[in-house]
Amino acid sequence: MTTVEQSASRTPPSPADVIRDMLDVAHQQSSAKPVVRPDERGRFAAVLLPEVFPVVVDANALRDDLLRVAAGRPRTLMLNAANSGVLRLFCAPHVLHEVEEHMEEWSEQRRLDPSVVRAAWHNSVAPLLRCVEVPAGLTTVAEQERLDYLAQPPATSRYCDPDDVPTATLALLLNAALLSKDKAPGRAVYGETHDHVAHAQWRGELSAVGDLGPLGRLVDALNSLLGLAAEGVFHGITAAARRVPWPWLVIGVLATAGAIRFAVTPEVRARVQAMLGAGISTTAATVVEILTQRDAARRQFETLQPGQSGRDKIIGNYGSSAALTRACLYLLARCPQRDLSARELTDALRRTDGVAGSETKVRSVLRENAAFVEPSRGRFQLGRPASTFLAP
């Protein structure tokens, strides 16, 4: 073999090839990844993303995923995305009880052992849910009119079902995508012009295990990055994420890859590279993939969110504290950290939403509203683990 041939045989694969191979492996492995449970304090895990996508689910949206897991089949995109932290699944308390109520009926329909279905529920699905006590008195006039119509007896219209009011209210307050097979809550959340066909298509994508689209590729790319950390190829990624804010983490790895060579000084590149550790080229390519798929997924989710109500409309109805409460709901539903202090939340509100409120006022709102939970002194999250609502 000539020197040239030897050199060619040792030529490393391109970053694109590395990413493609990693995504293939991540996609195969994501369904087998253990379910990430809340810790002993009820705190959910933090994620290595600048923000997550909140989704509100009802019982019928969980049914097929639960029965699929109970039958020993791979998890769907929705459960894998929630387990990876890309999606954050919220529900109202009654949803948990409704699943428990119908579990034997569902088991019989699929000819599954009810004990197996119950085990799948407690071990694989319920741990991924954040159960929120739905606040009252925070909706606008237009939102409340739609919710009042939803609360009418089902005989009134196919768009009426009082049982769906808490779920629809939660989706509105979080400005989160609603995942439901029922048209009634969809109309209450999105209005009369809601595109049920497009919504059903999205629901089908979340139930997929094949071509997962941008959201699935984002999940796989994130799992690949975490896999690099676990394998030691990029041994400091988690620690670096704690030391370096996400924008600088991204800038550091992209600068190393040459993607923004002229956007930062050599001194900044060298400093951030030193903090990030080894395996930077592969990691940089992975982060590029994450950013690409995250932007595509974000565009999709923006079409699935209810229209965000203006603060003036909320203030006009209920007062400034209602606007502040909704702003806290919105931000905590999306923040990648497991919890925030009142000071951190106050700073984030001023920085992202321009909401004026003192740290004392924010802390008061957080402690007065049952939707917010204080798993450790002075640290707040949105919602509780489902296990706190379920019998063992």
Side-chain angles (χ1 to χ4, degrees), residues 158-307:
R158 62 175 178 167
Y159 296 112
C160 299
D161 189 342
D163 292 341
D164 289 330
V165 170
T167 295
T169 303
L170 185 61
L172 286 167
L173 296 182
L174 302 187
N175 194 34
L178 172 67
L179 186 60
S180 173
K181 294 182 178 180
D182 296 333
K183 293 183 178 181
R187 181 186 183 279
V189 171
Y190 297 105
E192 296 182 14
T193 59
H194 175 51
D195 187 343
H196 294 289
V197 175
H199 194 93
Q201 180 181 357
W202 171 68
R203 190 176 66 243
E205 290 177 2
L206 287 182
S207 300
V209 293
D211 182 10
L212 305 182
L215 181 61
R217 289 190 290 271
L218 174 58
V219 173
D220 291 344
L222 180 61
N223 284 338
S224 295
L225 182 60
L226 298 178
L228 290 175
E231 295 168 7
V233 177
F234 181 44
H235 61 77
I237 183 67
T238 304
R242 295 192 189 102
R243 294 193 300 270
V244 185
W246 175 267
W248 283 108
L249 179 65
V250 172
I251 287 174
V253 293
L254 294 184
T256 304
I260 54 169
R261 185 178 302 276
F262 304 105
V264 296
T265 65
E267 292 78 10
V268 170
R269 287 202 299 270
R271 178 166 59 87
V272 178
Q273 288 174 30
M275 300 178 73
L276 295 178
I280 194 68
S281 296
T282 301
T283 303
T286 309
V287 171
V288 171
E289 177 71 13
I290 288 175
L291 292 176
T292 300
Q293 302 304 337
R294 173 178 166 269
D295 286 344
R298 175 197 280 273
R299 288 193 295 271
Q300 182 185 45
F301 266 81
E302 284 176 349
T303 66
L304 298 167
Q305 294 176 343

Side-chain angles (χ1 to χ4, degrees), residues 60 102 166 191 238 274 383:
N60 65 42
H102 292 286
T238 304

Side-chain angles (χ1 to χ4, degrees), residues 36-338:
V36 180
R37 295 172 171 272
D39 66 14
E40 66 280 358
R41 295 182 180 179
R43 297 179 303 176
F44 295 90
V47 296
L48 193 63
L49 285 171
E51 66 175 340
V52 297
F53 302 116
V55 176
V56 172
V57 297
D58 64 7
N60 65 42
L62 296 171
R63 174 186 180 275
D64 290 344
D65 291 67
L66 168 60
L67 296 177
R68 182 183 185 87
V69 173
R73 300 171 66 191
R75 290 194 301 253
T76 61
L77 172 58
M78 182 182 79
L79 296 182
N80 284 333
N83 198 39
S84 299
V86 174
L87 292 186
R88 188 168 288 168
L89 303 181
F90 292 96
C91 70
H94 82 281
V95 169
L96 304 177
H97 304 308
E98 190 173 339
V99 170
E100 298 251 304
E101 178 184 347
H102 292 286
M103 196 172 297
E104 288 199 14
E105 174 190 345
W106 294 346
S107 302
E108 183 178 347
Q109 291 171 353
R110 293 290 180 89
R111 298 182 180 180
L112 294 171
D113 184 341
S115 64
V116 173
V117 176
R118 185 169 299 277
W121 167 240
H122 284 278
N123 297 328
S124 300
V125 180
L128 301 175
L129 301 175
R130 301 178 183 226
C131 194
V132 180
E133 297 282 1
V134 182
L138 299 178
T139 51
T140 66
V141 170
E143 290 170 342
Q144 193 58 50
E145 286 178 351
R146 298 200 301 271
L147 291 170
D148 289 342
Y149 186 77
L150 176 64
Q152 299 298 313
T156 306
S157 164
R158 62 175 178 167
Y159 296 112
C160 299
D161 189 342
D163 292 341
D164 289 330
V165 170
T167 295
T169 303
L170 185 61
L172 286 167
L173 296 182
L174 302 187
N175 194 34
L178 172 67
L179 186 60
S180 173
K181 294 182 178 180
D182 296 333
K183 293 183 178 181
R187 181 186 183 279
V189 171
Y190 297 105
E192 296 182 14
T193 59
H194 175 51
D195 187 343
H196 294 289
V197 175
H199 194 93
Q201 180 181 357
W202 171 68
R203 190 176 66 243
E205 290 177 2
L206 287 182
S207 300
V209 293
D211 182 10
L212 305 182
L215 181 61
R217 289 190 290 271
L218 174 58
V219 173
D220 291 344
L222 180 61
N223 284 338
S224 295
L225 182 60
L226 298 178
L228 290 175
E231 295 168 7
V233 177
F234 181 44
H235 61 77
I237 183 67
T238 304
R242 295 192 189 102
R243 294 193 300 270
V244 185
W246 175 267
W248 283 108
L249 179 65
V250 172
I251 287 174
V253 293
L254 294 184
T256 304
I260 54 169
R261 185 178 302 276
F262 304 105
V264 296
T265 65
E267 292 78 10
V268 170
R269 287 202 299 270
R271 178 166 59 87
V272 178
Q273 288 174 30
M275 300 178 73
L276 295 178
I280 194 68
S281 296
T282 301
T283 303
T286 309
V287 171
V288 171
E289 177 71 13
I290 288 175
L291 292 176
T292 300
Q293 302 304 337
R294 173 178 166 269
D295 286 344
R298 175 197 280 273
R299 288 193 295 271
Q300 182 185 45
F301 266 81
E302 284 176 349
T303 66
L304 298 167
Q305 294 176 343
Q308 179 75 337
S309 300
R311 284 195 299 273
D312 55 338
K313 296 180 180 179
I314 302 171
I315 291 174
N317 291 340
Y318 300 108
S320 59
S321 62
L324 180 59
T325 302
R326 281 193 68 155
C328 291
L329 289 167
Y330 181 90
L331 195 147
L332 281 175
R334 291 160 172 79
C335 74
Q337 296 89 344
R338 64 170 62 204

